[in-house]
Amino acid sequence: MTAPDAAPSTTLSGGAPARATVDLDAIAGNVRTLREHAGDAGVMAVVKADGYGHGLLPSARAALAGGASWLGVAQLPEAMALREAGIDARVLSWLHVPGTDFAAAIDADVDLSVSASWALEEVAAAARTLGRTARIHLKVDTGLGRNGAYGADWPVLLDAARALEAEGAVRVVGVWSHFVYADAPDHPTVRLQQERFAEAVREAEKAGCDLEVRHLANSAATLTNPSAAFDLVRPGIAVYGLSPVPQLGDPASFGLTPAMTLTANIAVVKRVPAGQGVSYGHQYVTQRDTTLALVPVGYADGIPRNATNVGPVSVAGTRHTVSGRVCMDQFVVDVGAEAEVHPGDVAEIFGRGDAGGPTAEDWAQATGTISYEIVTRIGSRVPRVHVGGAR
């Protein structure tokens, strides 16, 4: 067993306790794979939420290098950040509230989603002020019960949009919607939503809308349901190499490569006797004389607090489990009495899993969530180190 004061073998530079290494070549490769699944449809790579935690601008550039023709974001500041960085690809922003600065978006040539009358009116007012025509995508609620015009509101929104098109304030370039159960391809709502979407598109075209794109498919539908591709697919999590349908296949089975590896330097290594409680509340008690390794990341960094006693971690090439409660800045791993572990050695929290280490999906399964949350929640204290590709 290694002595607690053994010389450090630090491999994470700059003294950072942890880092998230993001492989941009993996992102580009994943988009190329998604293009193959999309057939004749284009690919809108969704880069919202700081590129699902991978970094907005590097992820966007890598996705475009892989062949994405559109970028999708939830909030307007994300779209503006893309434009300010010189990215001139088509960008759609879709989640807005009253008072949003639509004029800035129109001036930056950002496409805007509209799903309610108030938004249509505010976008049109901003367009009039600029003397420009806003590009809008009308969103129809086909059953998700979330954003989008629902039921009788859809024809009303269409009529209002067409009147504003005649005025020159807006141009309806797209119609779109979002699935409820695309991750369960055989669920009856999938077929029903496709039918409702196709009908909504027909209504838009009958009303006189000259559409550039019709889009419905997310990651799961892109990989499992070619009939939902229409003109454009909108993959999100699959861009980053994680499976949206883990019950049907892991990333490799879909030709995807996880892009993020989360690692941390071990801060402290100590011997303790059998019967020693570990971390707050002593939710873990050692069963034998053993070695504890302190990993300096916690729930402030995005490690789920409910990973207590269940989160998988690889230390010195051996898989272990979080021992005791996850704290704000750290957690402990019982690595066993014979472990050759030093302060400064690297603990892999999740990565590709190709050498038997844990994956984001393993963390999702252990903590009762989805891999989307695991990667997206990694906090700003953890530096992103981008390797490969265009940065």
Side-chain angles (χ1 to χ4, degrees):
M1 180 170 61
T2 303
D5 58 352
S9 57
T10 304
T11 58
L12 301 187
S13 62
R19 72 178 177 189
T21 302
V22 177
D23 185 345
L24 299 177
D25 290 334
I27 291 176
N30 293 332
V31 172
R32 283 191 287 271
T33 295
L34 291 161
R35 286 183 63 197
E36 294 174 3
H37 282 278
D40 293 333
V43 172
M44 177 190 291
V46 179
V47 294
K48 64 179 180 175
D50 195 31
Y52 284 52
H54 293 68
L56 173 67
L57 298 178
S59 297
R61 293 188 179 110
L64 292 171
S69 50
W70 288 71
L71 298 171
V73 296
Q75 299 180 2
L76 192 52
E78 299 168 319
M80 299 305 291
L82 294 171
R83 287 290 187 252
E84 289 163 6
I87 293 173
D88 59 5
R90 290 253 62 94
V91 175
L92 174 65
S93 175
W94 56 70
L95 186 57
H96 314 117
V97 297
T100 293
D101 186 2
F102 290 118
I106 297 165
D107 196 45
D109 197 28
V110 172
D111 286 28
L112 297 166
S113 175
V114 169
S115 61
S117 296
W118 73 261
L120 185 60
E121 292 164 2
E122 290 196 15
V123 169
R128 291 188 195 103
T129 299
L130 291 171
R132 295 187 57 173
T133 300
R135 289 170 52 92
I136 65 173
H137 298 228
L138 299 179
K139 186 171 187 184
V140 57
D141 182 354
T142 54
L144 183 58
R146 204 174 62 176
N147 205 3
Y150 183 80
D153 292 338
W154 178 244
V156 173
L157 187 64
L158 282 176
D159 289 346
R162 285 293 293 134
L164 291 168
E165 277 197 307
E167 177 191 323
V170 305
R171 181 181 166 215
V172 180
V173 299
V175 169
W176 72 297
S177 191
H178 199 44
F179 275 118
V180 176
Y181 269 117
D183 53 348
D186 294 328
H187 197 278
T189 59
V190 174
R191 175 70 64 180
L192 181 59
Q193 282 192 270
Q194 281 185 234
E195 293 172 352
R196 288 177 175 171
F197 181 68
E199 177 59 28
V201 167
R202 285 191 292 270
E203 291 175 6
E205 292 171 337
K206 185 177 179 180
C209 297
D210 182 15
L211 303 176
E212 290 181 12
V213 288
R214 306 147 188 84
H215 46 109
L216 176 63
N218 56 4
S219 287
T222 300
L223 293 172
T224 66
N225 185 4
S227 67
F230 291 91
D231 303 308
L232 193 63
V233 297
R234 297 189 316 273
I237 196 65
V239 168
Y240 309 98
L242 301 179
S243 174
V245 282
Q247 76 280 14
L248 299 180
D250 63 7
S253 68
F254 292 110
L256 303 173
T257 301
M260 182 187 288
T261 299
L262 181 63
T263 51
N265 281 85
I266 291 173
V268 174
V269 177
K270 67 175 78 175
R271 298 186 184 95
V272 298
Q276 173 62 53
V278 178
S279 195
Y280 290 129
H282 284 182
Q283 297 297 299
Y284 180 86
V285 177
T286 59
Q287 299 300 303
R288 64 207 182 293
D289 294 355
T290 191
T291 301
L292 301 180
L294 182 69
V295 182
V297 286
Y299 60 77
D301 304 294
I303 304 300
R305 188 171 182 271
N306 68 339
T308 294
N309 290 336
V310 297
V313 185
S314 180
V315 178
T318 300
R319 192 153 162 161
H320 301 280
T321 302
V322 172
S323 305
R325 281 189 184 160
V326 173
C327 308
M328 184 179 290
D329 311 295
Q330 57 200 284
F331 62 81
V332 178
V333 178
D334 181 344
V335 296
E338 303 304 320
E340 289 293 329
V341 178
H342 306 79
D345 283 352
V346 174
E348 183 174 304
I349 298 164
F350 62 78
R352 295 185 177 181
D354 47 7
T359 65
E361 180 60 33
D362 291 333
W363 273 81
Q365 292 291 329
T367 58
T369 186
I370 55 177
S371 61
Y372 305 59
E373 182 181 358
I374 296 300
V375 293
T376 303
R377 70 188 293 165
I378 301 304
S380 59
R381 290 199 309 190
V382 178
R384 272 59 170 177
V385 178
H386 296 93
V387 298
R391 278 168 268 176

